Amino acid sequence: MFEGILWDPIFFLWLLSLIAVLVYLFGRLWNNSYNKGEQVEPFLSGNEEQESNYPHASDMYWGFTEALKDYYVSMKEMHSNVVNDYVYWFVVVLALTMLVVVVS
Amino acid sequence: MIDLVALLLDNTLSLIIVTPLMGAFVTELVARINKKWVFPLALISILVSSSFAFLLASQVYSGGVVSRAIESDNPAKLTVSLPSGSLLPIRIILEADGMSVLMAIIVAIMSLVVIIYSRKFIRKKLTLFYPLFLIMVSGTYGMMLTGDLFNLFVFIEIVSISGAGLITALDRKRAPDSAFKFLVMSTIGALIILTGIGLLYGQYDSLNIAFLAKSIHWTFLDKVAFALMLAGLAMKAGSVPMHMWVPDAYGDSPAPVSAFFVVGSQASLYALFRICFSLFGLSLNYVTAGWILIILGVLSMFVGVTMALPQKDIKRLMAFHAVSQTGYMLLGVGVGLTVLGTPAFAAFGFKAMEGGIFHVINHALYKGLLFLTAGAIFYATGTRKLNDIRGLAHYMPWTTVFFMVGAFSIAGLPPFNGFASKILIYESVYAFNPVLSAIAMLVSILTLASFIKVFYSAFLGPKPSKKPKRIPHSMLLAMLLLTLLILFFGLFPELIINNLIKPAVMALVNVSAYVGVFSGV
């Protein structure tokens, strides 16, 4: 599976190194007038970036979880944090496995 | 001197298990005199047992299987008369082939890394943590090296009880609740497994796996025993929908314990594969058993990753990913089992099993690394809540790099080790069923999305106003070791597959050879 050059990780590494060197050399051609300062600062809606402005982890993928709301509601019910429910699911799987194995 | 070396070489199998076990008791005793000796003694125990594990590996890879029966000098005196009239010798049988030795290597690496990491991370309850950790290491080795079903049950119990103690080692608020749930589930699982073992013992008067393998006639009771053991071990491995204890146990335990819990769950996965191949391999309906593993695998992959995505606690998020990654292993090995004995096995089944087994060792490395980076974040900031941390890359550049390596690897990006095993699984499973392969790829995309969230919220962003604590060198060293191994496994996958993975898969699928070699012990 790894015989071909397409999946050869060493080849990947050489290729990435080559691209990195080319990008560096290419960048050097026009960066004489480059002014380090506010150009490297992140731009957030025109406001200065502050700790309190930074999006929280829980803000991320809101659209994804909202689109799959029904799925996540049922999943949260399943993950009830009650040990009785943990045992319940184990018994369900055990019963189904036994049924399938014995019948087959 | 030569006699001593010969004695050590003869007893490698037992010494691997005994060294950390003895180390646990000695550490506890010595701690009564001076607590400063606790860590050095624990480290020595792990170094010695890991050395024995690598020695055993060299013995197996150079000379084939290794087995050892620990019994009385006069076995005839120590026997039990069975109702059938035969005499059963009382003894402990240990054995090692390509598969068990691969698992022992994983334990050796991870126990070494975890103990180095723990030096500064564990600063209180030393006399609780180190002895329990050593007992857990001993039990995990035992699960992988035993050739006897009852001893397997005993070692499962040792791992469970020591694991429950380790969950509560540092935290007295949420952790006891998680430890209780873990203990309840582990005990129920172990009792179900014991019931299955009892059904086999009642019929065939033996607990030796190889002897049972050639005796089993696939009767109704055998089928019930198989189902009991399969469900019990799948639950212990953290398979969906029996995984709910995993986020609790992994999430609330100290980070080095979470990293080693991954190995503990993999020991159960190993036992599950042993039951499917080595114990029932000569009589089992491969298609039924294989599809059970595949369904459990796909459910674990999908539910694990989708539940990880909205998590706000970094360790719970990683714990759900551990469930998801277990699914890949079940899928790969399940596909191999389904087509075992057919021409399709040579076409893609063997590759699928290689992918599944390779993913076991890769997962131990990158998931271990990710849990250790989560521990470093907790050490530096005092919180695991992703909403409360940001901009850590400004102060923790090394941890950031280690996290990126772990995250890229778990997401299956080249040239990291996760890619090497996942590409084997994708390609071989595609030949079996393209839909399953597509699900596996989708899960990898969601995994990447989930770790981008962690990276963005914890490491990127403005400099935090509160400077995090400096990470000690021992913790960085432990993470560096795993990072180097991940890179090595990712850059030279063929070397690993040819020397470690192929012998492991051969040991599993060549059931007749296993029975022939070990039933005579």
Side-chain angles (χ1 to χ4, degrees):
Chain A
M1 190 143 298
F2 297 99
E3 291 87 357
I5 200 160
L6 186 64
W7 300 121
D8 187 343
I10 302 292
F11 171 73
F12 265 105
L13 215 59
W14 280 114
L15 189 70
L16 287 173
S17 309
L18 184 70
I19 291 170
V21 170
L22 286 176
V23 167
Y24 175 72
L25 292 175
F26 192 72
R28 273 180 67 100
L29 288 176
W30 287 283
N31 73 351
N32 293 335
S33 59
Y34 180 74
N35 179 25
K36 268 194 178 180
E38 64 177 17
Q39 289 179 76
V40 294
E41 295 295 323
F43 180 76
L44 283 179
S45 307
N47 299 322
E48 191 183 337
E49 192 190 32
Q50 289 180 353
E51 216 179 332
S52 54
N53 291 346
Y54 196 68
H56 285 129
S58 51
D59 301 329
M60 294 185 73
Y61 304 128
W62 176 85
F64 181 84
T65 49
E66 191 64 19
L68 296 174
K69 202 172 182 178
D70 292 342
Y71 170 76
Y72 277 109
V73 167
S74 62
M75 277 293 126
K76 274 182 185 166
E77 276 174 18
M78 186 179 162
H79 295 82
S80 62
N81 236 3
V82 179
V83 75
N84 300 31
D85 294 344
Y86 297 9
V87 178
Y88 163 79
W89 279 107
F90 176 56
V91 172
V92 168
V93 173
L94 178 62
L96 284 174
T97 309
M98 203 172 285
L99 192 70
V100 170
V101 171
V102 170
V103 169
S104 71
Chain B
M1 184 64 189
I2 293 167
D3 284 350
L4 182 67
V5 173
L7 192 70
L8 288 176
L9 288 174
D10 273 354
N11 292 284
T12 318
L13 262 169
S14 22
L15 286 168
I16 291 173
I17 301 168
V18 170
T19 311
L21 192 63
M22 291 304 293
F25 295 114
V26 173
T27 307
E28 189 63 51
L29 281 175
V30 168
R32 309 277 166 193
I33 305 165
N34 192 337
K35 282 187 181 172
K36 279 185 178 172
W37 295 347
V38 171
F39 175 77
L41 271 172
L43 179 66
I44 290 168
S45 304
I46 293 295
L47 276 172
V48 173
S49 62
S50 296
S51 307
F52 281 128
F54 289 118
L55 183 65
L56 177 71
S58 72
Q59 287 175 339
V60 169
Y61 291 130
S62 60
V65 297
V66 175
S67 61
R68 175 109 184 119
I70 302 164
E71 55 195 346
S72 159
D73 287 344
N74 185 356
K77 278 187 179 172
L78 210 65
T79 53
V80 175
S81 293
L82 298 171
S84 59
S86 57
L87 294 173
L88 179 76
I90 297 176
R91 57 190 186 163
I92 296 171
I93 296 168
L94 300 172
E95 57 192 35
D97 58 12
M99 185 64 205
S100 41
V101 119
L102 172 75
M103 300 303 293
I105 289 172
I106 297 174
V107 183
I109 293 170
M110 288 309 296
S111 58
L112 209 54
V113 167
V114 163
I115 202 120
I116 294 170
Y117 185 91
S118 303
R119 183 170 178 258
K120 290 284 181 181
F121 189 88
I122 306 290
R123 286 170 298 173
K124 54 182 182 177
K125 307 276 181 192
L126 300 183
T127 53
L128 179 71
F129 177 82
Y130 286 109
L132 280 175
F133 178 67
L134 289 171
I135 290 172
M136 191 177 182
V137 171
S138 174
T140 316
Y141 273 128
M143 280 178 73
M144 289 150 181
L145 298 174
T146 183
D148 178 295
L149 283 180
F150 187 75
N151 287 338
L152 176 69
F153 162 76
V154 172
F155 286 124
I156 288 173
E157 282 293 78
I158 289 174
V159 172
S160 302
I161 294 167
S162 55
L166 282 168
I167 294 171
T168 58
L170 298 184
D171 178 15
R172 298 285 174 184
K173 289 175 189 165
R174 277 176 54 172
D177 182 50
S178 299
F180 173 72
K181 287 175 192 163
F182 171 72
L183 207 55
V184 168
M185 294 309 290
S186 296
T187 307
I188 291 173
L191 283 175
I192 292 292
I193 295 164
L194 183 65
T195 310
I197 294 170
L199 288 177
L200 294 179
Y201 180 64
Q203 291 181 89
Y204 304 110
D205 289 343
S206 178
L207 292 162
N208 182 314
I209 296 174
F211 180 81
L212 280 169
K214 68 176 180 184
S215 309
I216 286 171
H217 304 306
W218 202 232
T219 60
F220 173 76
L221 283 180
D222 292 338
K223 291 178 182 177
V224 173
F226 174 72
L228 290 170
M229 288 192 217
L230 189 148
L233 289 167
M235 188 269 280
K236 288 284 297 160
S239 162
V240 170
M242 305 170 285
H243 65 288
M244 280 85 136
W245 62 270
V246 176
D248 296 332
Y250 284 38
D252 288 336
S253 51
V257 176
S258 308
F260 200 75
F261 256 129
V262 174
V263 185
S265 294
Q266 288 185 333
S268 299
L269 203 60
Y270 160 79
L272 176 62
F273 296 158
R274 269 280 179 238
I275 298 299
C276 290
F277 289 90
S278 304
L279 180 61
F280 287 95
L282 292 176
S283 48
L284 185 68
N285 181 340
Y286 298 139
V287 178
T288 308
W291 269 105
I292 291 173
L293 294 191
I294 291 170
I295 291 167
L296 289 175
V298 172
L299 279 174
S300 303
M301 281 193 307
F302 190 77
V303 174
V305 80
T306 49
M307 283 306 291
L309 213 56
Q311 296 302 319
K312 294 163 210 149
D313 179 313
I314 187 168
K315 283 190 69 203
R316 279 185 78 83
L317 180 144
M318 288 182 180
F320 274 111
H321 278 295
V323 172
S324 175
Q325 297 303 307
T326 303
Y328 282 94
M329 302 161 213
L330 286 168
L331 176 64
V333 175
V335 167
L337 183 60
T338 309
V339 297
L340 190 64
T342 67
F345 185 76
F348 59 83
F350 194 83
K351 282 277 180 230
M353 285 198 62
E354 277 185 346
I357 302 294
F358 193 19
H359 207 62
V360 173
I361 191 163
N362 288 340
H363 178 238
L365 297 177
Y366 62 65
K367 181 55 73 177
L369 175 63
L370 285 168
F371 272 123
L372 296 189
T373 56
I377 291 172
F378 179 73
Y379 182 92
T381 63
T383 182
R384 298 188 323 233
K385 290 177 187 165
L386 284 169
N387 283 343
D388 295 345
I389 43 179
R390 60 187 59 88
L392 293 179
H394 293 286
Y395 293 111
M396 301 165 68
W398 284 107
T399 308
T400 309
V401 171
F402 298 144
F403 176 84
M404 284 171 73
V405 169
F408 289 159
S409 187
I410 195 173
L413 297 187
F416 299 96
N417 66 346
F419 169 77
S421 45
K422 281 188 177 180
I423 190 74
L424 283 170
I425 295 173
Y426 297 154
E427 288 204 12
S428 51
V429 172
Y430 184 84
F432 176 73
N433 187 327
V435 176
L436 297 177
S437 189
I439 294 172
M441 288 180 210
L442 173 72
V443 170
S444 278
I445 295 166
L446 292 174
T447 305
L448 183 62
S450 177
F451 277 95
I452 285 174
K453 166 181 152 173
V454 179
F455 184 66
Y456 179 81
S457 52
F459 292 102
L460 300 186
K463 237 180 189 177
S465 48
K466 193 181 168 193
K467 194 177 175 183
K469 266 167 71 180
R470 198 180 166 82
I471 303 296
H473 288 114
S474 55
M475 286 167 66
L476 291 174
L477 174 67
M479 291 188 279
L480 176 68
L481 286 175
L482 285 180
T483 303
L484 293 176
L485 281 171
I486 286 170
L487 289 172
F488 182 76
F489 277 48
L491 291 174
F492 305 101
E494 281 204 291
L495 187 73
I496 307 300
I497 288 172
N498 290 334
N499 292 299
L500 300 182
I501 308 302
K502 271 204 175 97
V505 177
M506 288 302 293
L508 273 185
V509 299
N510 202 346
V511 186
S512 305
Y514 175 85
V515 171
V517 171
F518 290 121
S519 62
V521 176

